[in-house]
Amino acid sequence: MVQVKSLVFSLTTLLSVAGLPTVAAAAPKENPEVEAGFKEGMEALQNDRLETAIRHFKNILEIDPNLDRAQLELALAYYRTLRYEEAEKLAQEVLDDPLTPADVRVTVLAFLAQVKRDSDVYGQKHQLTPFVMAGIMHDSNVNVGPTDQNIRVGGVDESLTPDSVKQSDNAYVVNAGVSHLYQSGKRVQFGERTGMLVWQSGAGVYTRQYNDASDFDLVVATLNTGPAVLMLRHWRASLQYQAEYLTLGDKALGWFNSLKPSMTWQFTDSEVTWDAVYTHRFYHQDIDKDREGDYFDTGLSGGRYFDNRRVVGSGGVRAIKFIADDDQYGYAGFQVSAGISTDTYKNGSAYARQRYGYYQYDGRDSIFDKERRDREYVTTLGLSHEYNEPEDLLKGWAANLYWERTENDSNIGQLYSYKRYQAMLSLTRNF
């Protein structure tokens, strides 16, 4: 019988990433049929053709049930197809073999520990995670109004009411809720790869309460639910239904109901996401009825890791269309964004993002009787610190400092061009 020298390259890589010991590898060479099958199984395993690898290693074990090396490779293939019980059983048999060398026992023990950790995480049927965020903010333009009170309409000088000109105020912000993950335990097969089927749900309430400008106090109650498929280390996809109930000031604003499909492809140092949003907007007040309609957007976004994942660069592009009951409120447009985030120090990170948007409105503006085109520039900066040290008074919490500048440049500049600055300091925690 061939003595086990180590786990295969892929398992060696897995354990070295985790900081666990590994040793050199050797392949069986006594039986030509076993040797050929082992080589093909190894190539399949390294190329993520996991079902093919399982078939080859099972065939080898039918020829020689005592070949520990093939047994460990099969255990690894089972582990990577989420069959944790089978992986644990095979690895334990190798560990129980008195002929297994001591250095290999250390590696197998490490592998078994990894299997148990993943089994505990992905084997839970229900994961309930409450969360809370509380903060204080300053808003330089609460009502998104223009700076100048005087406008000219049809050659006639007009004056906006004081309430229509931009107002600044301070506010407190609270966001609390709970997310729920149901792991069905069912595996989903896509060719050579195996994924898991889960169901994601959540509920939350967001509120922003201003000190003086109470007419713009905002409350959003959200419910979401939907399935997802996770192909670990490869891709994930989900479909979410979301319902939002909004109030503005002391009045009901509207219901927004959305469908949100998405799919993310994962690579060694990067990932790419496609997602889309369809929302039907329904408003309660008669004054907003012309703004009702259907909103669509879709786009691609991506991120790439640098410097051992301490720096992340990101970017994206989106196409947008809103079909309103009144064409002057409907528009088509696009957004382009770019950003960077970095671990600046232990438990601390910083990020910066820039977004540009262009929007062409469908109908002529009813006040100025002309077509409207807007360009939007949004700059966001942020710092985050996680309290993870045993001596931290706020252990488990994260502090966030956020600043954003929005400039809207409209061809109807007297009424729709504005600048807005928002800054917020908050604490967040998952329980």
Side-chain angles (χ1 to χ4, degrees), residues 188-348:
V188 182
Q189 198 72 35
F190 287 89
E192 293 273 2
R193 295 171 179 169
T194 302
M196 63 176 69
L197 178 65
V198 303
W199 196 278
Q200 301 168 307
S201 302
V205 176
Y206 171 91
T207 180
R208 182 191 300 171
Q209 301 291 313
Y210 289 99
N211 289 348
D212 298 316
S214 58
D215 287 347
F216 296 94
D217 291 346
L218 178 66
V219 177
V220 182
T222 304
L223 292 172
N224 65 278
T225 190
V229 176
L230 308 179
M231 302 290 290
L232 300 181
R233 299 178 299 276
H234 295 291
W235 58 264
R236 60 185 182 271
S238 69
L239 176 62
Q240 285 280 299
Y241 166 75
Q242 180 173 294
E244 296 172 293
Y245 178 73
L246 299 86
T247 67
L248 186 65
D250 58 356
K251 297 178 181 179
L253 181 62
W255 277 99
F256 290 5
N257 293 288
S258 304
L259 284 177
K260 298 182 175 183
S262 70
M263 186 165 185
T264 298
W265 294 267
Q266 296 173 292
F267 307 97
T268 303
D269 290 311
S270 61
E271 65 177 39
V272 176
T273 296
W274 166 83
D275 71 298
V277 177
Y278 161 70
T279 302
H280 178 70
R281 298 177 177 178
F282 168 81
Y283 290 93
H284 287 283
Q285 304 299 318
D286 289 340
I287 194 174
D288 295 317
K289 287 298 183 180
D290 290 342
R291 301 176 185 272
E292 290 185 356
D294 297 303
Y295 173 89
F296 305 85
D297 82 41
T298 186
L300 289 171
S301 60
R304 182 170 179 80
Y305 300 102
F306 302 93
D307 192 20
N308 292 321
R309 300 201 167 212
R310 287 190 289 268
V311 178
V312 182
S314 61
V317 60
R318 304 193 71 77
I320 299 169
K321 177 64 179 176
F322 178 48
I323 304 173
D325 287 354
D326 187 332
D327 283 348
Q328 70 170 315
Y329 300 113
Y331 56 85
F334 67 89
Q335 294 177 348
V336 179
S337 62
I340 188 170
S341 63
T342 178
D343 294 337
T344 52
Y345 61 92
K346 183 180 180 181
N347 299 330

Side-chain angles (χ1 to χ4, degrees), residues 66-142:
N66 297 317
L67 191 58
D68 288 357
R69 177 65 186 276
Q71 200 161 339
L72 285 176
E73 307 303 351
L74 181 57
L76 176 60
Y78 279 146
Y79 165 76
R80 290 172 58 183
T81 55
L82 313 178
R83 304 175 202 180
Y84 298 121
E85 290 185 6
E86 292 96 324
E88 183 177 4
K89 179 181 176 182
L90 288 172
Q92 189 64 49
E93 288 177 0
V94 174
L95 190 65
D96 293 339
D97 186 345
L99 297 179
T100 300
D103 55 349
V104 175
R105 289 178 180 276
V106 174
T107 305
V108 176
L109 282 169
F111 175 62
L112 284 169
Q114 183 71 50
V115 172
K116 186 178 188 310
R117 282 193 294 269
D118 286 0
S119 179
D120 289 344
V121 171
Y122 299 112
Q124 296 181 44
K125 286 290 186 181
H126 300 275
Q127 294 183 26
L128 200 64
T129 307
F131 62 88
V132 65
M133 181 276 287
I136 54 174
M137 73 173 297
H138 176 75
D139 191 334
S140 73
N141 195 344
V142 173

